[in-house]
Amino acid sequence: MAVDELAVLTEAPADAPVVLADHREVQSGIPELLEAAGIEVRLCDLPVGDYVISDELAVERKSGGDLTSSIKDGRLFDQAMRLQDAYPRAVLVIEGVPVWMPEPSWRGAVCRLVEDGVTVLQALDAQDAAAWVERLARRAHRTGTPGGRALGRRRAAPTAEAQAVAMLACVPGISARAAGRLLDHFGSVLEVAAASERELREVPGVGAIRARALKAALARDG
């Protein structure tokens, strides 16, 4: 399932691959490097990933320091799960070398991602990371593989179920998979919102912290 922005992008010129980039990536310098290489970059607020190559492929970029912190707090695996839930092909680009963590630890975490189906690419620096994104974009634009259809082609409107999953997945800590389990258990977003924290915790993967986050996010005034 691609992000909503994909449905409103217009058809791109044949010689101009398009990449959606999260606006926070501007600080990395990669969007500027992509534009200098002839890639059309459209900045937006991406719900998952840092770069959307096509409606079937997205990229998460991690600097060495960010990879370390995201492994320690578990954020890495949640982000990878969200990316895989949203796109058939998920790519992690590691920029630089992880720091402040023993090599066996971070390599083990990366191997777990590979075992779960995430493609992992190593980049020396921002310029090298931009080169990976550029190459993926050009291949997707030229051949439709491995990224699938090029950006800008309209997709069918999301189903009501997909919209409900997306709504619950906006809650921090709730992946699309967890959202799907909540909907299977309660039947609708309204029923999820009406459930108590104890009832929410009955759903596999929804512990006390996630249940509390759901109640806070779905609470209605009055």
Side-chain angles (χ1 to χ4, degrees):
M1 179 181 67
V3 297
D4 292 342
E5 287 87 345
L6 294 176
V8 298
L9 287 176
T10 58
E11 195 72 36
D15 59 346
V18 179
V19 168
L20 297 183
D22 189 87
H23 63 87
R24 288 164 291 195
E25 278 294 292
V26 171
Q27 296 181 351
S28 73
I30 293 177
E32 184 177 357
L33 289 168
L34 290 173
E35 290 182 331
I39 303 295
E40 182 177 347
V41 178
R42 302 183 186 181
L43 297 175
C44 55
D45 187 9
L46 293 177
V48 294
D50 294 315
Y51 300 92
V52 175
I53 306 300
S54 76
D55 61 359
E56 294 190 8
L57 189 153
V59 175
E60 176 77 22
R61 183 191 67 87
K62 293 286 186 189
S63 66
D66 188 26
L67 180 66
T68 299
S69 62
S70 63
I71 291 173
K72 289 182 176 179
D73 62 19
R75 180 166 37 95
L76 176 66
F77 306 107
D78 183 65
Q79 289 175 326
M81 182 182 296
R82 287 173 179 265
L83 201 63
Q84 288 181 299
D85 285 336
Y87 299 93
R89 297 178 178 89
V91 176
L92 170 67
V93 173
I94 301 174
E95 182 184 316
V97 178
V99 293
W100 309 308
M101 177 175 280
E103 183 175 330
S105 297
W106 68 259
R107 287 193 185 275
V110 170
C111 285
R112 174 180 161 184
L113 292 181
V114 173
E115 291 165 356
D116 288 341
V118 177
T119 297
V120 179
L121 301 174
Q122 180 73 49
L124 298 174
D125 49 27
Q127 188 170 1
D128 197 21
W132 278 121
V133 176
E134 178 197 353
R135 179 56 56 187
L136 289 170
R138 292 196 184 283
R139 286 179 60 84
H141 184 76
R142 182 178 68 250
T143 68
T145 58
R149 295 181 293 276
L151 287 175
R153 300 182 183 177
R154 293 185 177 275
R155 308 175 74 245
T159 64
E161 180 180 1
Q163 290 176 325
V165 168
M167 186 181 302
L168 292 176
C170 289
V171 178
I174 301 299
S175 68
R177 291 178 185 174
R181 288 195 291 266
L182 285 162
L183 291 170
D184 288 342
H185 186 87
F186 292 104
S188 70
V189 174
L190 287 177
E191 292 299 322
V192 173
S196 66
E197 287 190 27
R198 179 184 61 79
E199 291 171 326
L200 291 171
R201 292 198 301 271
E202 294 175 358
V203 178
V206 180
I209 294 176
R210 290 189 173 100
R212 194 173 306 119
L214 275 168
K215 292 302 297 181
L218 300 177
R220 291 174 291 181
D221 294 334

